[in-house]
Amino acid sequence: MDTIRSFYRHRISTLLRDSTGKRRSTGSGNINREQRIPQSAAERVFSIPELTLLVLKLASPRTWPTLCLLNWNCAVIVQPYIWKSVTCHTLTTVKKIQPHIRKHVHHVESLNLDSLPQPTLSVILQELSHFEYLPNIASLVLCNSKITLDQLSALLSKLPHLKEVDIRGCVVHKHALEVLAQCINLESMAFFHENILLSQGYNMDTAFAPWTRLRRLSIAVPPNAGLSAHQFEEAINRSQLDLEWLELSTPHWKTNTIERIIMRNSKLKRLVLRDCGLAGEGWMVVLPSLTNLEYIAAHDSMGLMVPHSFERHLRVIQSSPSIQHIVLGGYCIQDHEFKTLAETATALTSLTLTHCNISSQGLRQIIDHCVKLERLRVQVFHMIGGFKGLFKDGPWACSELQELEFINISWSQADMASQETMKKSLETMWKGLNNLSRLRVLTLRQVNMSRPTTLYLQCFGAHTNLQQLCLTGHGAWTYQELFWIAENFPGLEEFRCNDMEMDTSLWAWMQKNRPDVRLFPAKPVDWE
């Protein structure tokens, strides 16, 4: 690494030295002279690709258009990065980009029109219809959008190099496999398998034959899929796919079919199962195929009602030493299972628990043993021991933690018995959070405690790395508390709270004094 750093340090210093001005030749008879045209500091910086990428990475995307205003040369360099990924979810965004998209569409590599309704969607598609081909677009997301079959077919015909597509929730009255058949270069696809009859003569046995490069597959089967689901699952089973990512939401599929699909894809790195009902015996069959697994997500709407439902997933984690990301939803996790998980998943960097029943003592096992943990997100139905149980046993061992989110976690009655015990409990929590010096994201939503007064915020201290803060369910905010946040979190980019807990004048004050901070009401939880 030292050699690489020295190389780029020397390269950048040389380029900066040589870019003090552009040379041009001027002639006077037989005499040729070179004259330097002075360049601004911005031009010199943005003339070096490495520095351009570094500036864009450190700066908020909201500031990128401002960089284009420095001068024409800066705009030429920055605009390809601005237009590389286009996301439109609202009419407001569409109106902003509509006048410019024709000019910059050749820069677009990723197009996200998720949940865009009609006629707003038609506005964007009308602009794209002026081009015969859009060769640079490699990723297309239309999840839950109101696109029609004709519009979708026309758009796909313009994307010869499309590699990723998501059309889940698109009602186009034609099977997804037939619609996507023209996109032979796909490496990732996500769609709903609905009860739609395939065209006459369509061979389900070779349904996935066109996509020899397919590595990521996401399929959801609605409850009304009917008998066609059986044919479809057998087609997947017969295919020669070599997948790395597999996501299944197939509550009516046979257990042995899911087992065979997993076993046929021995290179799986990411596995997501939603209500698939894979029994304990089935897991034992597929375990030898999951040695490369890095990400596992399991959601079971009946998990809380089934005893020992988490045990089968624990076996998978034990058999996959390289696993780094775990997402669990709808399980009752015992303390001894947490201990086994903490001692096994030594490479764990991210843990998400949603709608689970756990205890603070069990979760503390993860906090004390998984020292590489960088993200912890918890939303539970019930946590035995309350919130204070996470902090009463001293500092957390996971000092690398950067994202921490707690939602709907209550305090025990003993912790809130009196004003004195409440004060001690809150001070213990904020002091514990203060030890997490690398924290970038902090979310405390509906944790049933009093608002973060300046006394408690001072226990938390000034965190220069904090970029996103969300605090809700704490009561009405005061000017002193908001002033403390504005003054002590210089790197803050996003602040969320309940709009019913903050007066309009405080919102206005924050917008005036910290215009670099985006203010939003708390958004719904959507963890994957």
Side-chain angles (χ1 to χ4, degrees):
M1 290 299 297
D2 291 338
T3 305
I4 297 175
R5 292 192 189 98
S6 299
F7 170 79
Y8 280 106
R9 190 178 293 115
H10 176 72
R11 167 179 161 76
I12 290 173
S13 61
T14 302
L15 288 171
L16 282 175
R17 185 174 61 252
D18 295 342
S19 64
T20 53
K22 295 181 179 178
R23 296 175 181 269
R24 70 179 180 186
S25 298
T26 59
S28 178
N30 296 326
I31 301 176
N32 292 325
R33 298 178 181 177
E34 287 188 344
Q35 179 180 351
R36 285 185 178 270
I37 303 174
Q39 285 184 292
S40 67
E43 287 177 311
R44 294 171 60 194
V45 169
F46 285 103
S47 66
I48 303 173
E50 290 88 351
L51 288 182
T52 302
L53 291 173
L54 181 61
V55 170
L56 294 177
K57 182 179 180 181
L58 295 178
S60 171
R62 294 189 304 155
T63 65
W64 291 0
T66 306
L67 297 177
C68 296
L69 302 178
L70 294 175
N71 57 43
W72 183 84
N73 289 330
C74 292
V76 170
I77 296 171
V78 175
Q79 282 176 349
Y81 296 100
I82 295 177
W83 287 92
K84 183 177 182 180
S85 179
V86 174
T87 299
C88 295
H89 296 322
T90 63
L91 178 60
T92 303
T93 308
V94 171
K95 288 182 177 180
K96 287 181 179 179
I97 72 169
Q98 182 188 3
H100 313 286
I101 191 168
R102 285 198 211 176
K103 180 179 179 181
H104 300 289
V105 72
H106 59 283
H107 295 310
V108 179
E109 297 180 11
S110 174
L111 181 61
N112 188 332
L113 306 177
D114 182 8
S115 304
L116 204 59
Q118 295 284 12
T120 307
L121 178 62
S122 297
V123 174
I124 291 293
L125 297 180
Q126 179 63 30
E127 297 296 329
L128 299 179
S129 66
H130 292 86
F131 300 88
E132 183 177 1
Y133 293 107
L134 301 169
N136 292 330
I137 296 182
S139 176
L140 177 64
V141 177
L142 295 168
C143 185
N144 297 316
S145 67
K146 302 302 181 182
I147 194 168
T148 65
L149 177 59
D150 292 339
Q151 288 176 331
L152 179 58
S153 299
L155 179 59
L156 293 177
S157 66
K158 298 177 182 292
L159 308 177
H161 299 142
L162 189 65
K163 295 181 180 180
E164 301 178 4
V165 64
D166 185 349
I167 57 172
R168 290 175 295 182
C170 296
V171 183
V172 294
H173 305 293
K174 191 174 183 180
H175 199 281
L177 292 178
E178 292 187 90
V179 176
L180 299 176
Q182 58 183 307
C183 306
I184 60 174
N185 295 317
L186 284 180
E187 298 176 4
S188 172
M189 65 167 65
F191 58 89
F192 280 177
H193 170 64
E194 299 181 283
N195 191 18
I196 299 174
L197 294 177
L198 295 163
S199 300
Q200 188 175 2
Y202 190 88
N203 187 1
M204 281 297 293
D205 293 340
T206 59
F208 289 93
W211 301 293
T212 57
R213 302 176 183 177
L214 194 63
R215 295 295 178 266
R216 302 179 181 183
L217 179 62
S218 177
I219 304 173
V221 180
N224 61 347
L227 297 177
S228 62
H230 172 70
Q231 298 176 335
F232 189 66
E233 67 185 64
E234 290 299 325
I236 297 179
N237 194 39
R238 295 191 194 99
S239 66
Q240 301 298 319
L241 299 178
D242 190 13
L243 300 176
E244 295 179 358
W245 288 27
L246 178 62
E247 299 184 15
L248 297 176
S249 178
T250 53
H252 301 292
W253 281 16
K254 297 179 180 178
T255 300
N256 57 356
T257 300
I258 299 176
E259 295 171 10
R260 293 197 299 270
I261 293 173
I262 295 176
M263 287 189 294
R264 285 179 178 270
N265 295 277
S266 58
K267 296 181 181 179
L268 277 180
K269 295 181 179 180
R270 178 186 176 108
L271 178 62
V272 179
L273 300 175
R274 297 184 180 91
D275 294 323
C276 290
L278 199 59
E281 300 78 16
W283 279 119
M284 297 306 294
V285 173
V286 304
L287 284 181
S289 304
L290 299 175
T291 55
N292 297 319
L293 203 62
E294 297 177 358
Y295 181 109
I296 182 171
H299 303 263
D300 191 344
S301 57
M302 302 296 293
L304 292 174
M305 305 175 62
V306 180
H308 312 295
S309 58
F310 178 65
E311 288 184 358
R312 56 181 180 265
H313 302 295
L314 189 58
R315 296 193 190 103
V316 176
I317 296 169
Q318 288 178 293
S319 67
S320 306
S322 59
I323 198 161
Q324 299 177 10
H325 308 277
I326 299 176
V327 180
L328 300 171
Y331 296 98
C332 182
I333 307 177
Q334 305 297 324
D335 290 351
H336 70 275
E337 294 173 330
F338 265 123
K339 183 178 180 181
T340 303
L341 173 61
E343 294 174 348
T344 302
T346 55
L348 188 65
T349 61
S350 173
L351 176 64
T352 299
L353 303 174
T354 60
H355 306 297
C356 293
N357 284 346
I358 62 175
S359 73
S360 58
Q361 183 178 357
L363 187 56
R364 185 69 198 228
Q365 295 285 339
I366 300 292
I367 293 170
D368 288 338
H369 290 86
C370 298
V371 295
K372 296 182 180 180
L373 197 66
E374 297 179 358
R375 174 190 292 174
L376 178 61
R377 302 187 295 186
V378 181
Q379 180 189 26
V380 298
F381 279 136
H382 179 61
M383 186 167 76
I384 301 173
F387 203 41
K388 185 182 178 182
L390 297 174
F391 300 94
K392 66 179 182 181
D393 293 331
W396 291 4
C398 50
S399 58
E400 300 295 315
L401 200 65
Q402 298 182 29
E403 299 182 28
L404 180 63
E405 302 182 44
F406 287 121
I407 298 179
N408 295 337
I409 298 180
S410 61
W411 295 75
S412 65
Q413 292 184 352
D415 295 333
M416 299 287 112
S418 64
Q419 290 292 333
E420 186 64 25
T421 57
M422 181 186 299
K423 179 181 177 181
K424 290 182 178 179
S425 300
L426 292 172
E427 287 182 354
T428 300
M429 181 199 74
W430 286 108
K431 288 180 179 178
L433 294 176
N434 185 45
N435 293 323
L436 305 174
S437 58
R438 301 193 62 184
L439 207 60
R440 294 188 302 104
V441 178
L442 176 62
T443 297
L444 299 175
R445 293 180 56 181
Q446 306 300 331
V447 293
N448 299 331
M449 66 179 187
S450 63
R451 69 179 186 270
T453 63
T454 52
L455 172 64
Y456 303 134
L457 289 172
Q458 288 171 0
C459 294
F460 182 48
H463 280 247
T464 57
N465 295 326
L466 196 66
Q467 298 176 0
Q468 298 180 27
L469 178 64
C470 178
L471 299 171
T472 69
H474 316 298
W477 286 80
T478 65
Y479 166 76
Q480 289 80 6
E481 296 155 3
L482 200 61
F483 178 83
W484 198 95
I485 289 176
E487 189 176 52
N488 289 274
F489 300 146
L492 194 64
E493 298 179 357
E494 182 178 302
F495 179 51
R496 294 181 181 269
C497 69
N498 192 327
D499 53 0
M500 300 297 293
E501 297 175 345
M502 184 172 291
D503 188 80
T504 306
S505 60
L506 293 182
W507 280 95
W509 181 90
M510 191 69 170
Q511 289 177 326
K512 179 181 179 180
N513 292 274
R514 284 296 301 271
D516 56 316
V517 178
R518 291 169 291 179
L519 302 177
F520 298 107
K523 59 184 178 181
V525 180
D526 184 18
W527 288 342
E528 174 56 37

